[in-house]
Amino acid sequence: MSRTDAPTDAMRTPPPPRDEEARLRELGYQPVLARRMNGFGNFAISFSVISILSGCMTLYGFGLGTGGPAVMMWGWAGVGLFVLCVGLALAEVTSAYPTSGALYYMADRLGGRRWGWYTGWLNLLGLLGAIAGIDYGAALFTGAFLNLQWGFVPTPGSTFVIFLVILLLHAVLNLFGVHLVSLLNSLSVWWHLIGVAVIVGALAFVPERHQSVEFVFTEFVNDTGWANPFYVAAIGLLLAQYTFSGYDASAHLSEETSNASVTAAKGIVRAIWVSWIAGFALLAGLTFAIQDYAATQNSATGVPPAQILLDALGSGGASALLLVVIVAQLFCGNAEVAAASRMVFAFSRDNALPGSALWRKVSARTQTPVPAVWLAVAVAALLAVPSLYSATAYGAVTAINVIGITPAYAIPIYLRLRAGRRFVPGPWNLGRWSKPIGWTAVVWVALVTVLFCLPQKSPVNVDTMNYAVIALAVVLVLASIWWYVARRSYGTPTAYGSAREEAEISEGIV
C-alpha cells in the first residue's frame, strides 16, 4: 500500500462511538435514565408510534368521505415524501443534540429561551394528543371486535371506558422500565410488518371480487359538505399526516439509547421510510377489497376497515385480523406513552411545567420518570372527554396531535437553517443537502399546519367544528401566561456540574 492510500483508508474507517454520557454532560445534564436501548430498539419506538396499523386503520373511515380512494392513495405517496424530508432534517439536528427534551432543547440552543419554551409546549400538546388519539382508536377497534364476536353495541360511553382501561394498561407497562419498553417495541416492529403482510395477502387472495385499479387510484368521494374539491383533497391529507407523526420518539429516548448521536437520527429516518412503503401496501389492500362502499362507510361495527374484513373474509377471518390490528395499536399507544412521559420529564427538569419538582422525579429502582408517566395518561384521558358528546371529536383529537407536534418539528429545523455555520453538526448529517431538504421541510410544515386548523365538515356548527384550533390557541395562551410566572426558573443548562444543578438532580431521584 502506498503512503497516499493510507489516509484514504483511514478516512473510510467509521469513527468510534461517542461517549454519550459525557456528551450529555456537555449538553448540561447529569445522566439519570438507564441507557439500555440499542439502535434497533430506538428505531422500533418511532416505527411503533407511527404505527400504520393504528393511523391508517383508524382514520380510514375519515378518508373514505374526505376525498375517497384517490386522495388516500396519492395523498399517502405525496405526504410520505415530504415527511421524509422533515425526518431527514430533524434527524440531523437530533444527532447534534441527543437529549430527552429533543425538539424544545434544540430550539432553545439554536434560537433562545422563548423559542425553546413555545416549541416545548407545542411538542407536549402533540404528544399528549397522540396518546389520546392512538388509544381511543384502539378502543374503537376493540368495540368493533366485541361487536363481531358477541354482538356488543359500542356507545360513546362504553368506548370511553375501554379507552381508560387501555390507558391504565400502558401506564403500568411503562412503570417497569425502558428495557421492557424496548422489548415490546422490538416485538412491535415484526408484529406490524407480518400483520400488514397477512392482512394484504388475505385481502388479495380470498375475496372473489376486487375493485379496479382505476377505482383505487382515481375515485374521488366528497361527503364533507364542502363544494371545492381541492379543499376537500387538502383536508383528506390528514389521514397520512396524522399517521406520519410521532417519529420524534427516537429523539426523546436518546438518553436511554446507546450511541444515540447516530442511532437516534437513523431511527427517525428508518421509521418513516419503512412505514411509507408498508402503509401504501396496507391502504391499497384495503381499498381493492371494498365490496360495498356505502355499507363500509356506515358499518354497524363503527369501524369501516372492520366491515371490509367482514365482507371479504367472513366473521372468523375478520375477527382474527382485527385482533392483529388491536395488538398493533396497543404496541403503538405504549410507545407513545414512553415518548410523552420523557418529554414531560425533560420539560420539568428545566422547570417549564407547573409542579415541575414532582414531574421530574425518577424511580431509583427502575430509573423511570414515574410521575411523568401518570401525568401523560391523565391529560390524554381529559383530551378525549369531548368524544362522549361529539361524533367529530375523534377527528379533532387527531388534528390536535398534528397541529401541535408538526410545527414543533419545523422550528428546530428552521433555527438550524437560520444559524448557518454557527450550527455544529453531529456525526450524522446531511452535508450539502441540508439546506434544500431543510427548507422543503419548513415550507411543508407551514402548509399542513394551516390546513389542519380549517373546518373539516360543512356547515360548521357545534358538532362539526374543528376544535383543534381552539386547543392550539388555549395552549399557546396558557404557555404565554405561564412564561411570565416561570421565566426566571426555566432554562436549559449550558454544562452540567454546578452545585445547584447537582442538588436539583439529586432531588429528582426517588
Side-chain angles (χ1 to χ4, degrees):
M1 181 183 293
S2 67
R3 291 183 180 181
T4 55
D5 289 335
T8 303
D9 290 341
M11 288 171 65
R12 290 174 181 167
T13 303
R18 277 188 176 186
D19 182 340
E20 296 293 347
E21 305 292 47
R23 176 57 180 156
L24 188 60
R25 290 186 177 91
E26 289 174 9
L27 295 174
Y29 299 112
Q30 168 68 7
V32 295
L33 302 175
R35 200 175 288 275
R36 297 171 183 166
M37 185 175 285
N38 59 21
F40 183 81
N42 186 277
F43 148 74
I45 192 165
S46 281
F47 182 77
S48 296
V49 172
I50 292 175
S51 184
I52 53 176
L53 286 175
S54 178
C56 291
M57 300 290 275
T58 304
L59 280 181
Y60 191 83
F62 173 86
L64 287 175
T66 314
V71 172
M72 283 195 286
M73 299 308 302
W74 292 111
W76 183 269
V79 170
L81 179 61
F82 285 112
V83 169
L84 185 59
C85 290
V86 178
L88 285 165
L90 184 63
E92 181 178 55
V93 190
T94 297
S95 179
Y97 302 108
T99 72
S100 294
L103 309 182
Y104 88 85
Y105 181 90
M106 302 171 196
D108 186 288
R109 277 290 182 268
L110 294 168
R113 295 172 72 231
R114 285 214 183 194
W115 280 104
W117 178 267
Y118 283 102
T119 302
W121 279 100
L122 286 170
N123 191 196
L124 187 59
L125 171 67
L127 288 168
L128 297 174
I131 296 175
I134 293 163
D135 281 1
Y136 194 83
L140 289 171
F141 272 75
T142 302
F145 174 78
L146 295 175
N147 176 268
L148 287 178
Q149 287 295 101
W150 297 289
F152 172 81
V153 179
T155 65
S158 61
T159 301
F160 194 80
V161 171
I162 297 171
F163 165 68
L164 293 178
V165 172
I166 292 172
L167 277 179
L168 180 62
L169 170 66
H170 287 153
V172 172
L173 288 174
N174 270 272
L175 297 182
F176 285 98
V178 74
H179 181 71
L180 177 60
V181 172
S182 182
L183 175 62
L184 291 174
N185 289 331
S186 298
L187 291 173
S188 172
V189 172
W190 300 112
W191 186 274
H192 274 80
L193 294 177
I194 294 171
V196 168
V198 170
I199 291 171
V200 172
L203 292 176
F205 294 107
V206 176
E208 295 181 359
R209 173 182 172 272
H210 289 90
Q211 298 290 343
S212 66
V213 173
E214 182 182 9
F215 173 87
V216 172
F217 290 98
T218 65
E219 183 72 15
F220 183 85
V221 179
N222 178 11
D223 295 331
T224 65
W226 297 108
N228 190 319
F230 295 103
Y231 182 91
V232 175
I235 297 300
L237 298 180
L238 176 60
L239 183 154
Q241 187 65 51
Y242 165 69
T243 305
F244 281 118
S245 63
Y247 43 86
D248 58 315
S250 289
H252 288 295
L253 272 292
S254 58
E255 289 184 32
E256 297 160 85
T257 302
S258 301
N259 195 24
S261 297
V262 174
T263 53
K266 287 183 176 180
I268 291 171
V269 178
R270 286 173 178 169
I272 293 171
W273 71 256
V274 173
S275 298
W276 189 18
I277 295 170
F280 189 85
L282 177 62
L283 288 173
L286 286 169
T287 309
F288 272 112
I290 294 175
Q291 304 298 306
D292 185 324
Y293 204 94
T296 298
Q297 286 183 290
N298 301 299
S299 173
T301 66
V303 178
Q307 192 64 45
I308 294 175
L309 298 175
L310 183 61
D311 293 342
L313 309 174
S315 60
S319 296
L321 293 185
L322 269 181
L323 273 180
V324 172
V325 174
I326 291 167
V327 172
Q329 292 173 335
L330 293 177
F331 277 131
C332 175
N334 190 65
E336 185 62 32
V337 169
S341 62
R342 270 50 176 190
M343 174 59 195
V344 171
F345 158 77
F347 217 25
S348 299
R349 181 172 59 182
D350 292 327
N351 296 307
L353 297 180
S356 287
L358 172 61
W359 311 126
R360 66 172 175 249
K361 290 183 181 295
V362 176
S363 167
R365 182 175 61 86
T366 63
Q367 292 179 278
T368 300
V370 174
V373 170
W374 287 115
L375 179 64
V377 297
V379 175
L382 291 175
L383 285 175
V385 167
S387 65
L388 290 168
Y389 310 103
S390 171
T392 59
Y394 180 71
V397 170
T398 59
I400 287 172
N401 168 224
V402 171
I403 68 173
I405 208 167
T406 307
Y409 291 157
I411 292 172
I413 297 171
Y414 165 73
L415 293 173
R416 176 262 176 275
L417 293 168
R418 193 182 72 168
R421 293 183 180 275
R422 289 190 296 107
F423 173 74
V424 180
W428 193 100
N429 60 80
L430 299 174
R432 62 191 177 91
W433 291 99
S434 182
K435 284 187 177 180
I437 290 176
W439 282 115
T440 300
V442 170
V443 171
W444 172 251
V445 169
L447 174 64
V448 296
T449 301
V450 173
L451 287 179
F452 299 135
C453 287
L454 301 175
Q456 300 163 6
K457 293 280 188 180
S458 178
V460 180
N461 54 41
V462 173
D463 290 328
T464 62
M465 182 176 177
N466 186 348
Y467 291 97
V469 67
I470 296 178
L472 178 63
V474 168
V475 167
L476 291 176
V477 169
L478 291 177
S480 298
I481 295 172
W482 188 248
W483 166 259
Y484 290 99
V485 177
R487 67 185 187 277
R488 293 182 179 177
S489 60
Y490 163 74
T492 57
T494 54
Y496 175 74
S498 72
R500 187 177 75 86
E501 288 163 352
E502 290 184 19
E504 288 178 351
I505 292 295
S506 299
E507 289 173 2
I509 302 176
V510 294

